[in-house]
Amino acid sequence: LPDPPAGSPYWHDSLARIGSALRLADREPDYAGAITAYGKLRPPYGGEARRLHDHLFELVGRAADKTPPCSADEFADLAAWLAETGGALPTTNGWKNDLDLGDGTTATLSDLTWRAGRGPTAGGSGKLAETLRKLRSRYSDTDRLAQEEGMGETAHVGQAQPWGGASVVRDDAEPT
């Protein structure tokens, strides 16, 4: 038989029991509101049911993986920090613009930005929040980043580039 649709009483009861067993109300600031809103859904279930369903499963996954909790407000703050300072973060690997995440892994700014744009209810948002927390503590402000890169105190995100802001595209097919 197919699974009941997202938003159905079956899923609400199941997620409420799992949430109780994992003590999600004590752990995750947004759990109580999410499970209450989920319980108020009525057929036909649509996009809001799917969003709440995914959010509750993300909260359960965070508890199971021991990922630190993150409220929607903190996630929005981290995403705003990334949007404001992301372009000033030091990169590795030349033209690919990989960011060193500090744990031996890298990610591109566009990937982090895309994942942050999916919001705090998307799968993997807890792990992304932890990554952004680490990046923000490592690179707390753009002035410090500019000084580390040797650009002095005047370098900021959005500063004019030496090539006049023109788009620079690398064609790997061109001979070097």
Side-chain angles (χ1 to χ4, degrees):
L1 295 173
D3 285 338
S8 69
Y10 168 81
W11 283 118
H12 174 265
D13 295 345
S14 297
L15 288 165
R17 280 194 309 272
I18 292 169
S20 177
L22 294 174
R23 302 180 56 117
L24 286 180
D26 297 335
R27 182 181 197 287
E28 289 286 350
D30 298 333
Y31 173 75
I35 197 71
T36 299
Y38 198 72
K40 292 179 180 178
L41 294 172
R42 298 293 172 254
Y45 304 112
E48 180 66 7
R50 174 52 55 195
R51 186 188 69 75
L52 283 168
H53 188 80
D54 292 347
H55 187 203
L56 288 165
F57 269 92
E58 169 63 14
L59 297 179
V60 167
R62 287 182 203 173
D65 294 344
K66 303 209 181 337
T67 302
C70 180
S71 69
D73 291 340
E74 182 190 6
F75 189 90
D77 182 52
L78 290 167
W81 174 84
L82 180 65
E84 182 180 311
T85 20
L89 296 174
T91 58
T92 62
N93 297 333
W95 71 277
K96 283 176 53 179
N97 293 326
D98 285 346
L99 298 171
D100 179 5
L101 301 180
D103 59 0
T105 62
T106 62
T108 62
L109 177 60
S110 59
D111 176 56
L112 293 176
T113 303
W114 177 79
R115 291 170 49 203
R118 293 175 58 213
T121 63
S125 62
K127 290 184 189 234
L128 174 63
E130 186 63 10
T131 297
L132 295 179
R133 285 180 191 124
K134 288 176 185 174
L135 279 174
R136 185 166 66 177
S137 69
R138 190 170 173 199
Y139 305 109
S140 62
D141 61 334
T142 56
D143 287 336
R144 192 175 108 219
L145 287 173
Q147 288 173 353
E148 286 176 3
E149 292 179 4
M151 291 187 247
E153 292 184 27
T154 59
H156 293 282
V157 176
Q159 178 182 2
Q161 300 298 326
W163 55 83
S167 175
V168 178
V169 177
R170 176 180 167 167
D171 183 357
D172 287 335
E174 291 180 13
T176 54

